[in-house]
Amino acid sequence: MSTDQDYSQAVEVAREYYNSDDADNFYSIIWGGEDIHVGMYRSDEEPIFDASRRTVAHMAGRVKSYLGPDARVLDIGAGYGGAARYLAKTYGCRVAALNLSEVENERDRKMNAEQGVDHLIEVVDASFEEVPYPDASFDVVWSQDAILHSGDRPKVLQEVLRLMRSGGRFVFTDPMAADDCPPGVLSPILERIHLDSLGSPGWYIDTLQELGLIDEGYEDHAHQLTNHYSRVLRELESREDELQGRVSAQYVERMKKGLRHWIEGGRNGYLAWGVFLFSKPGS
């Protein structure tokens, strides 16, 4: 499914970035190939793919009773669609994988067909700020490390509320500022990803409760953000020769610098990451 949209400035910046050959090749080669999100690591040298898949499985476990062949799931910011494939294979549910990068979406569709789940997954070229589905279309709304890219996060959360069925669940993660983060210290990170701010755990909880959703518990896994970016940096440095001719040297150097900013911010306690779960009142 493809839709023509006018994107907000922040979303358009992210779209252009993820559509670039440099970004597509970097994430598909270094980040594990299936997912583009933070992993949950059991050791410093665990493969990125394994840790990323553990995040997906853990999140699915929190909404397991709402998944199954009759369930409809929306993944906003689906990347290469690894979570959608996991959910379709494991639970048989139908998944709409919404993502702004047409390049990533083409890779997603190809992998869905190769893995035999394309009949259960609809890949949608669109922004999560304006989702092309009717009200109350989904039992579960899912998102991993994507909402930070919006220039209007309240609008994204309002869309989530609109799309959830009564009694539905919203499970998500996002790289965030810590609730007690001092002003200005995240400037190097924000400049790199062309954003003015990050959300925080308290902000998400307060905003979603104000919208009428029920907080079912936030799990703090902030240490995994530092673990993940440290692991990606080591993987990049060890496989840099493999990227020659596919990812520009300038991109690689910028990526190394950006990863180090995330690692430093995490070690200083300025960043947060974890798993949120909210429910929509109703039957």
Side-chain angles (χ1 to χ4, degrees):
M1 178 178 178
S2 179
T3 180
D4 293 326
Q5 288 193 18
D6 292 325
Y7 297 115
S8 70
Q9 182 177 358
V11 168
E12 183 60 36
V13 168
R15 175 173 172 260
E16 291 178 0
Y17 170 77
Y18 285 109
N19 271 340
S20 70
D21 288 341
D22 278 343
D24 184 47
N25 287 327
F26 169 77
Y27 287 106
S28 63
I29 294 169
I30 299 298
W31 215 278
E34 279 276 330
D35 303 293
I36 310 177
H37 58 248
V38 175
M40 291 182 167
Y41 292 81
R42 290 180 175 168
S43 71
D44 290 344
E45 296 307 319
E46 184 173 23
I48 295 170
F49 174 89
D50 294 351
S52 294
R53 184 46 44 96
R54 186 173 296 113
T55 303
V56 173
H58 180 82
M59 291 174 64
R62 295 202 69 184
V63 292
K64 182 168 59 175
S65 59
Y66 300 90
L67 302 173
D70 294 329
R72 292 198 70 196
V73 179
L74 172 66
D75 184 354
I76 56 172
Y80 293 128
R85 284 185 289 280
Y86 176 89
L87 295 170
K89 290 178 183 179
T90 306
Y91 299 98
C93 48
R94 293 167 294 155
V95 186
L98 181 144
N99 194 49
L100 54 83
S101 167
E102 295 88 351
V103 172
E104 289 178 351
N105 290 345
E106 283 307 304
R107 193 185 292 273
D108 186 357
R109 294 184 183 100
K110 181 180 178 181
M111 287 192 284
N112 292 342
E114 290 172 348
Q115 297 180 35
V117 290
D118 50 326
H119 64 294
L120 291 173
I121 301 172
E122 179 181 36
V123 179
V124 185
D125 301 326
S127 166
F128 45 32
E129 293 177 356
E130 190 173 346
V131 180
Y133 284 99
D135 295 357
S137 291
F138 297 96
D139 302 287
V140 174
V141 179
W142 176 292
S143 184
Q144 288 180 263
D145 308 332
I147 300 175
L148 78 160
H149 290 298
S150 173
D152 191 350
R153 295 184 195 104
K155 185 176 182 181
V156 176
L157 301 183
Q158 289 166 3
E159 278 289 85
V160 169
L161 175 68
R162 178 183 72 79
L163 293 159
M164 292 171 70
R165 291 172 176 161
S166 295
R169 294 298 187 269
F170 176 33
V171 60
F172 72 101
T173 65
D174 209 37
M176 300 170 286
D179 286 321
D180 59 355
C181 179
V185 298
L186 296 181
S187 294
I189 292 173
L190 296 172
E191 290 169 5
R192 154 109 181 121
I193 55 179
H194 305 287
L195 293 174
D196 295 327
S197 67
L198 293 175
S200 69
W203 182 85
Y204 275 115
I205 291 169
D206 290 346
T207 303
L208 286 163
Q209 287 181 327
E210 288 171 5
L211 289 172
L213 296 185
I214 299 169
D215 180 11
E216 300 289 350
Y218 170 66
E219 297 177 351
D220 181 359
H221 298 283
H223 67 288
Q224 293 289 6
L225 190 71
T226 307
N227 291 347
H228 181 72
Y229 285 113
S230 298
R231 183 67 185 85
V232 172
L233 179 59
R234 290 195 301 273
E235 187 79 0
L236 173 56
E237 291 173 337
S238 68
R239 299 176 65 187
E240 193 168 342
D241 289 347
E242 188 179 337
L243 299 179
Q244 289 185 6
R246 303 184 68 181
V247 179
S248 71
Q250 295 88 345
Y251 180 94
V252 169
E253 289 308 309
R254 288 197 304 270
M255 179 58 69
K256 288 180 183 177
K257 184 177 180 180
L259 289 167
R260 291 184 183 114
H261 287 320
W262 282 104
I263 294 165
E264 180 182 5
R267 288 176 176 167
N268 287 333
Y270 300 152
L271 296 171
W273 185 83
V275 181
F276 294 89
L277 179 61
F278 285 84
S279 61
K280 186 172 183 178
S283 57

